[in-house]
Amino acid sequence: MVVGMTQMRKRKVVIRQLSALEALGGVTNICSDKTGTLTQGKMITRKVWIPSSGIYTVNGAEEASDPTTGYVSFSTSASNAEMVSQDSNIDEKADASSEVLSEKTSEVARKTPEVTSALESFLESTALCNLATVRYDEQKHRWQTVGDPTEISLQVFAHRFQFGKRTLEEQHGWSQLAEYGFDSGIKRMSVVYTNTSNSKTFVFTKGAVERILDLCTTVVGPDDAKSQLLTQSTKDLVLNQMNHLAEQGLRVMAIARRPITDFPTQSTITYPREEVEKGLTLLGLAGLYDPPRLETKDAVSECTTAGIKVHMLTGDHPATASAIARDVGILPSQPSTTQSTSALVKTAAEFDGMDDSQIDALPSLPLVIARCAPNTKTRMIAALHRRHAFAAMTGDGVNDAPSLQAADVGIAMGQAGSDVAKGAADIVLTDDNFASIVNAISEGRRMFDNIQKFVLHLLTSNVGEVVLLIVGLGMQDEAGFSVFPLSPLSILWINMLTSSFPAFGLGKEKAGSQIMKRPPHDTKKGVFTLQIIVDMIVYGLLMGALTLLTFVTIVYGPGGGDLGFDCNRSYGESCHTVFRARAAVFAELTFLILISAWEFKSLRRSMFALDPATSKASKFPFFQDVYSNKFLFFAVVIGAASVFPAVYIPGLNTDVFKHVGIGWEWGIVFAGLVIYVMGVEGWKAVKRWAGLLDDGMGITVENETKGQV
Ligand SMILES: Nc1ncnc2c1ncn2[C@@H]1O[C@H](COP(=O)(O)OP(=O)(O)OP(=O)(O)O)[C@@H](O)[C@H]1O
Ligand code: NA
């Protein structure tokens, strides 16, 4: 376990709850945040749309925090409708190639577009209704940002036109009167600013487009001084534009403002939010791009192969969420014929609008839930539980705590996460990266497998010893005393030698190559699966029978059944046969238990072909395979070697172990070893051949998880 935890730490995972180790391996569903987990959490403002003016595009910006990389281009068009269709031709690749072109042709194209009054209002609202700071660090010679990625990206955009918050406050005379902070429930924030040079006071608001649009009554006109009434057709145009941006995977924010005259200047008076955020003028939309992490796509596909479903639960718009989900492989790139997109993508409003029975009646739970509120996450976990799923949930916010607690494995973010979320979580990702969850799951599966192997090893040897000793009680000497086939100290010694190091070695077994290619194990059954129990009995009986047979053969064969006199206590002439038989049993039992550790590296594969990869490459990969876990290799080899001094050192053998050096009996010992290995191999072969006791873990994922959750 401890080995596992240090392993995990290297893999960017901190385990807060010991049981989370084993639990991780059994996860069937992951509900993940989008921003910062599936994506990089480094947003760049890519597009800005100002109604009746045009689209500003940021080209070639690589570094999210640097307003000097890339350049802004402006495209205007006669009608807005035309602009939408024209713009849709510009995709990422076109951007890149046109960039190369313009690099060759002229530098003129890179001149920052002029700041119109409409753009100016937009930038003021963007930069002031914003808590992020963006500044150039003279010492470190790089741009430093502090704050939420969404806000940083907008602040950086304002800096491209020298309209940063600081400049506005220090040079343009803006000063803040009030702040209505961002709330993920209402998905917007507002500030009230007054301009000391002309004493005009404004409410500046930004937030999710649908929410802001409902608060707007007007929209900025071609001439900023005259805003126009927000008609239904303009609303449709705005929503159209938003969808168009969102479909490119951009998070779309609406920016708005209104002049306010009666705002109290004494900060002691609180002015209700609803009174402030109303009658707004829409200034424009901003499309922010948060690229998926490079590792995400592979990690998601690894989950699919491992029979794990990935759900994206995000605060973003459904179109944005779908585009990103498609990018990373959570949604199929081509909508399949059987499942419509509407079944796979739901908004929280749709999901929360259903009652439990309606949710349970869905053929499958949605893969993307957009515009998610913390409460939606908790309902999703409950719905998963009703479908007998074993779910992991990520979260970073304070109000994610309930869903993190409700999840079978709660995962908090180490960097972006609040302390409350970390406190509620079972594990913490130090790098906030979705791929680390998948690593952790594979680690959890490895650990589960190794605990199973370890348990099987321990129990098999116990069953073997019990059989040997209990049945052995039947052998009585002339005085009517049972003659032990092993002395108590020998048993103690064997247990110490064979269950400490080899068991620890089994814990260090590497993950099998198939570990993420099979469905999750059943967490309700735990490690004591039917296979483990049957194996334990089969192998334990075999071990007990063989060692007993060795004792009996030596005593009753050449020894003529002479059990001597008082041979449990001390060595005398009459105990010669019994002591020789004991030495053989001691050696054989030790060997059998030790070889079991190598055999149990795999519960089903042959010890002589443990790893599909090495068995393809080599005819006899046995040594390569057993040597791959060096600790276990030497635990077994040294353990086996230690048998010889225990048998031969005079005094130690007769006085401590109550046995004596042997000769021809080694033949029986090794025969026993060979029969045991053949027995174990035979039983594994039977299991493979008849598909017995598979625990459902050998079945390929495709067949297994069809139609689940
Ligand atoms: N600082 C902000 N000011 C105003 N509105 C915001 C701000 N940040 C986000 N929003 C709006 O709220 C929506 C949801 O944001 P929220 O913070 O709930 O999700 P998130 O945590 O950023 O994303 P995810 O859930 O994918 O991790 C965004 O799509 C955006 O429209
Ligand atoms: Na979030």
Side-chain angles (χ1 to χ4, degrees):
M1 290 267 201
V2 179
V3 184
M5 291 185 53
T6 38
Q7 278 280 344
M8 302 281 259
R9 215 173 271 268
K10 260 183 244 152
R11 301 179 91 165
K12 314 280 187 213
V13 177
V14 177
I15 307 288
R16 297 191 62 253
Q17 194 82 49
L18 254 175
S19 58
L21 283 175
E22 199 194 311
L24 269 172
V27 162
T28 59
N29 295 67
I30 309 174
C31 299
S32 175
D33 280 333
K34 175 176 68 65
T35 308
T37 310
L38 293 164
T39 65
Q40 299 178 6
K42 289 185 192 135
M43 294 198 201
I44 295 182
T45 302
R46 275 280 169 81
K47 305 254 160 134
V48 164
W49 176 65
I50 311 277
S52 41
S53 164
I55 285 211
Y56 296 84
T57 304
V58 176
N59 306 278
E62 295 295 330
E63 177 55 52
S65 55
D66 185 349
T68 61
T69 63
Y71 63 98
V72 183
S73 61
F74 176 67
S75 77
T76 177
S77 46
S79 87
N80 284 311
E82 208 179 291
M83 187 175 59
V84 169
S85 62
Q86 186 191 53
D87 190 57
S88 66
N89 297 329
I90 307 170
D91 62 11
E92 286 301 300
K93 285 190 196 83
D95 268 2
S97 58
S98 70
E99 196 184 312
V100 176
L101 242 178
S102 60
E103 199 151 16
K104 281 183 195 146
T105 49
S106 74
E107 278 293 307
V108 187
R110 302 197 160 201
K111 224 179 73 194
T112 306
E114 90 177 280
V115 179
T116 62
S117 64
L119 179 62
E120 183 173 340
S121 319
F122 179 90
L123 293 173
E124 276 170 358
S125 188
T126 313
L128 293 175
C129 180
N130 196 314
L131 303 180
T133 59
V134 174
R135 67 183 184 91
Y136 187 72
D137 190 323
E138 300 287 351
Q139 263 120 49
K140 291 187 182 145
H141 301 290
R142 59 192 175 99
W143 287 85
Q144 303 274 28
T145 54
V146 183
D148 175 78
T150 303
E151 305 213 322
I152 290 173
S153 74
L154 293 168
Q155 193 67 255
V156 166
F157 183 76
H159 270 79
R160 291 181 181 278
F161 298 88
Q162 276 73 49
F163 268 73
K165 185 176 185 171
R166 230 218 202 145
T167 316
L168 293 177
E169 287 182 341
E170 287 170 6
Q171 292 167 31
H172 297 217
W174 288 104
S175 85
Q176 182 174 323
L177 296 182
E179 178 190 317
Y180 299 85
F182 171 67
D183 176 344
S184 65
I186 54 173
K187 306 207 187 308
R188 60 170 188 262
M189 85 170 267
S190 298
V191 292
V192 182
Y193 262 84
T194 188
N195 197 315
T196 44
S197 57
N198 56 13
S199 35
K200 275 190 180 158
T201 305
F202 279 98
V203 176
F204 295 117
T205 303
K206 74 175 191 310
V209 179
E210 329 87 275
R211 311 292 173 92
I212 299 297
L213 210 52
D214 288 341
L215 307 172
C216 291
T217 47
T218 54
V219 58
V220 63
D223 172 9
D224 181 41
K226 285 191 227 95
S227 49
Q228 306 167 334
L229 217 59
L230 185 67
T231 59
Q232 189 54 47
S233 71
T234 326
K235 256 189 188 175
D236 291 343
L237 180 77
V238 173
L239 289 174
N240 213 359
Q241 188 61 253
M242 175 199 67
N243 274 322
H244 170 62
L245 293 173
E247 275 157 16
Q248 304 168 33
L250 303 177
R251 162 176 285 195
V252 190
M253 306 279 298
I255 313 292
R257 73 165 191 192
R258 82 168 162 104
I260 186 168
T261 44
D262 50 351
F263 197 80
T265 38
Q266 297 100 314
S267 54
T268 44
I269 303 169
T270 50
Y271 203 85
R273 186 162 197 155
E274 309 77 61
E275 292 298 306
V276 175
E277 293 171 326
K278 65 174 193 190
L280 301 170
T281 302
L282 182 73
L283 298 175
L285 303 182
L288 326 181
Y289 189 59
D290 179 13
R293 289 176 184 269
L294 297 175
E295 314 89 324
T296 302
K297 195 172 184 158
D298 286 343
V300 170
S301 96
E302 205 179 337
C303 285
T304 312
T305 342
I308 301 165
K309 283 219 169 166
V310 183
H311 306 260
M312 175 196 277
L313 272 57
T314 173
D316 245 325
H317 187 269
T320 313
S322 303
I324 301 287
R326 215 164 281 126
D327 255 15
V328 300
I330 290 178
L331 289 178
S333 47
Q334 300 295 318
S336 79
T337 42
T338 46
Q339 276 172 309
S340 63
T341 325
S342 67
L344 300 176
V345 182
K346 290 216 181 306
T347 62
E350 290 167 337
F351 190 73
D352 291 336
M354 292 191 272
D355 60 30
D356 287 355
S357 61
Q358 284 170 314
I359 292 175
D360 293 347
L362 292 173
S364 65
L365 289 175
L367 293 176
V368 174
I369 299 188
R371 289 298 188 225
C372 206
N375 167 48
T376 319
K377 289 185 163 187
T378 324
R379 284 202 76 204
M380 180 69 174
I381 289 287
L384 283 165
H385 281 163
R386 288 196 302 274
R387 291 178 189 233
H388 309 292
F390 195 76
M393 165 75 75
T394 70
D396 44 24
V398 172
N399 37 24
D400 284 335
S403 62
L404 290 180
Q405 244 146 18
D408 300 293
V409 184
I411 305 170
M413 300 301 145
Q415 289 165 18
S418 63
D419 288 342
V420 180
K422 287 181 207 168
D426 304 304
I427 72 174
V428 178
L429 300 184
T430 54
D431 64 352
D432 295 12
N433 189 340
F434 178 78
S436 299
I437 302 177
V438 183
N439 284 338
I441 287 176
S442 128
E443 188 63 23
R445 288 187 174 193
R446 183 186 76 92
M447 214 145 354
F448 176 86
D449 282 8
N450 290 354
I451 292 171
Q452 259 195 340
K453 294 169 190 169
F454 163 90
V455 164
L456 176 62
H457 187 251
L458 194 75
L459 295 183
T460 298
S461 60
N462 287 355
V463 170
E465 286 166 12
V466 165
V467 169
L468 171 67
L469 298 180
I470 302 264
V471 179
L473 285 180
M475 288 178 293
Q476 294 171 345
D477 63 14
E478 284 144 34
F481 288 112
S482 292
V483 179
F484 303 151
L486 271 181
S487 73
L489 256 169
S490 297
I491 294 170
L492 220 63
W493 173 254
I494 291 177
N495 281 349
M496 208 181 68
L497 191 79
T498 59
S499 56
S500 52
F501 297 117
F504 194 67
L506 279 174
K508 290 172 86 104
E509 272 292 287
K510 279 191 301 238
S513 56
Q514 303 295 306
I515 203 154
M516 289 300 269
K517 296 199 172 74
R518 61 167 204 228
H521 63 254
D522 187 341
T523 44
K524 275 178 223 81
K525 286 192 197 137
V527 291
F528 289 99
T529 56
L530 190 60
Q531 173 166 231
I532 292 294
I533 292 164
V534 175
D535 279 4
M536 163 194 92
I537 293 169
V538 170
Y539 301 148
L541 283 179
L542 184 61
M543 189 181 277
L546 284 172
T547 46
L548 198 65
L549 201 67
T550 299
F551 191 81
V552 169
T553 308
I554 295 171
V555 171
Y556 291 90
D562 179 13
L563 286 164
F565 179 72
D566 201 18
C567 297
N568 289 346
R569 214 166 297 166
S570 60
Y571 184 50
E573 196 50 39
S574 71
C575 296
H576 195 65
T577 309
V578 169
F579 268 52
R580 288 182 78 97
R582 274 200 194 127
V585 169
F586 172 83
E588 184 171 330
L589 187 61
T590 310
F591 291 163
L592 297 196
I593 297 176
L594 288 173
I595 201 75
S596 298
W598 281 353
E599 278 285 1
F600 299 168
K601 281 162 81 88
S602 169
L603 300 186
R604 303 183 73 83
R605 291 187 68 91
S606 161
M607 177 171 73
F608 303 102
L610 279 170
D611 183 347
T614 52
S615 27
K616 232 173 259 161
S618 141
K619 266 221 172 81
F620 193 69
F622 173 71
F623 290 105
Q624 193 184 337
D625 285 342
V626 292
Y627 193 63
S628 67
N629 180 344
K630 290 196 185 54
F631 189 95
L632 183 60
F633 178 81
F634 285 113
V636 170
V637 169
I638 294 172
S642 76
V643 164
F644 299 97
V647 168
Y648 285 109
I649 292 178
L652 180 73
N653 54 6
T654 49
D655 295 346
V656 178
F657 292 116
K658 312 290 184 209
H659 60 210
V660 70
I662 48 173
W664 61 270
E665 289 90 344
W666 285 115
I668 298 185
V669 171
F670 287 107
L673 179 63
V674 169
I675 296 170
Y676 181 74
V677 170
M678 278 165 41
V680 176
E681 289 291 327
W683 176 238
K684 284 185 183 178
V686 167
K687 286 198 294 182
R688 287 196 302 270
W689 171 72
L692 284 179
L693 305 167
D694 211 337
D695 302 336
M697 302 216 297
I699 307 165
T700 55
V701 170
E702 284 81 17
N703 304 334
E704 163 84 351
T705 54
K706 219 167 245 171
Q708 268 191 3
V709 192

